[in-house]
């Protein structure tokens, strides 16, 4: 199985995104979600949400309105969330992604992390990251890099999975 650990802010939205989520926070853009669809279509990867938006799913924050909005926007391009990473108060997202990889029962052959903020990710996941920017979200060059990363079958977690 191939996995995309996906951030939302700075990936499928950016500073000039006009769309708003029901909570009035910044929404997502279909033109940027289309780049994620391109990766999924090329690789068959499943999407695991690693964004702070996952807290809506995990904890039912905001009565789930933003979570429902996010799922609906991705479903417009026939994309669905397979799972989400754990959310711990005392850990960074890189550690949460590592925990997901180590505790899942799935045979993960390759993975990529797509995020605009990598400070808490790089040290644990070197070679598995694609950094975007909140200035413009994910760009076509990042799509190619993500597809290339997912094409490799080098699971550093080996028998731990």
């Amino acid at each position: 199985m191939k996995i995309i650990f996906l951030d939302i802010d700075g990936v499928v939205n950016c500073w000039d995104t006009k769309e708003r989520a029901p909570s009035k926070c910044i929404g997502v853009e279909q033109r940027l979600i289309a780049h994620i669809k391109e990766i999924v279509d090329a690789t068959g990867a499943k999407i695991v949400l690693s964004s702070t938006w996952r807290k809506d799913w995990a904890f039912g924050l905001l009565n789930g309105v933003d979570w429902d909005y996010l799922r609906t926007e991705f479903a417009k391009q026939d994309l669905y969330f397979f799972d989400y990473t754990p959310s711990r108060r005392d850990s960074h997202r890189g550690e949460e992604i590592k925990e997901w990889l180590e505790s899942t029962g799935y045979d993960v052959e390759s993975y990529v992390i797509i995020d605009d903020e990598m400070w808490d990710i790089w040290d644990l996941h070197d070679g598995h990251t694609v950094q975007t920017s909140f200035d413009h979200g994910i760009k076509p060059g990042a799509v190619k890099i993500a597809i290339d990363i997912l094409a490799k079958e080098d699971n550093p977690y080996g028998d731990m999975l």
Side-chain angles (χ1 to χ4, degrees), residues 93-106:
R93 282 181 301 155
E95 293 167 342
E96 293 164 349
I97 290 168
K98 183 178 183 225
E99 179 181 337
W100 189 93
L101 285 165
E102 291 174 347
S103 66
T104 185
Y106 301 106

Side-chain angles (χ1 to χ4, degrees), residues 48-68 70-71 81-89 96 99-100:
V48 174
L49 195 63
S50 58
S51 168
T52 56
W53 286 63
R54 74 192 185 280
K55 293 177 183 175
D56 242 11
W57 185 0
F59 304 117
L61 301 177
L62 304 172
N63 296 317
V65 294
D66 283 347
W67 171 239
D68 290 341
L70 189 63
R71 285 189 346 201
F81 297 102
F82 177 72
D83 202 355
Y84 62 94
T85 57
S87 182
R88 309 278 186 253
R89 291 190 195 280
E96 293 164 349
E99 179 181 337
W100 189 93

Side-chain angles (χ1 to χ4, degrees), residues 9-74:
D9 297 319
V11 179
V12 293
N13 64 24
C14 58
W15 72 270
D16 65 348
T17 297
K18 305 285 186 264
E19 180 78 22
R20 293 289 173 237
S23 66
K24 306 299 182 216
C25 292
I26 191 169
V28 295
E29 293 186 40
Q30 287 298 315
R31 70 178 179 87
L32 297 173
I33 294 172
H35 292 312
I36 304 304
K37 175 139 178 79
E38 187 177 344
I39 298 166
V40 169
D41 287 349
T43 65
K46 306 241 184 255
I47 300 171
V48 174
L49 195 63
S50 58
S51 168
T52 56
W53 286 63
R54 74 192 185 280
K55 293 177 183 175
D56 242 11
W57 185 0
F59 304 117
L61 301 177
L62 304 172
N63 296 317
V65 294
D66 283 347
W67 171 239
D68 290 341
Y69 160 79
L70 189 63
R71 285 189 346 201
T72 299
E73 291 301 305
F74 272 74

Side-chain angles (χ1 to χ4, degrees), residues 93-141:
R93 282 181 301 155
E95 293 167 342
E96 293 164 349
I97 290 168
K98 183 178 183 225
E99 179 181 337
W100 189 93
L101 285 165
E102 291 174 347
S103 66
T104 185
Y106 301 106
D107 180 20
V108 177
E109 62 192 67
S110 62
Y111 70 96
V112 65
I113 302 165
I114 305 173
D115 204 313
D116 65 325
E117 295 181 351
M118 293 289 183
W119 64 270
D120 61 346
I121 295 172
W122 273 323
D123 59 334
L124 294 173
H125 303 283
D126 187 37
H128 294 272
T129 60
V130 174
Q131 186 169 18
T132 61
S133 168
F134 195 69
D135 289 340
H136 45 71
I138 190 169
K139 293 171 76 172

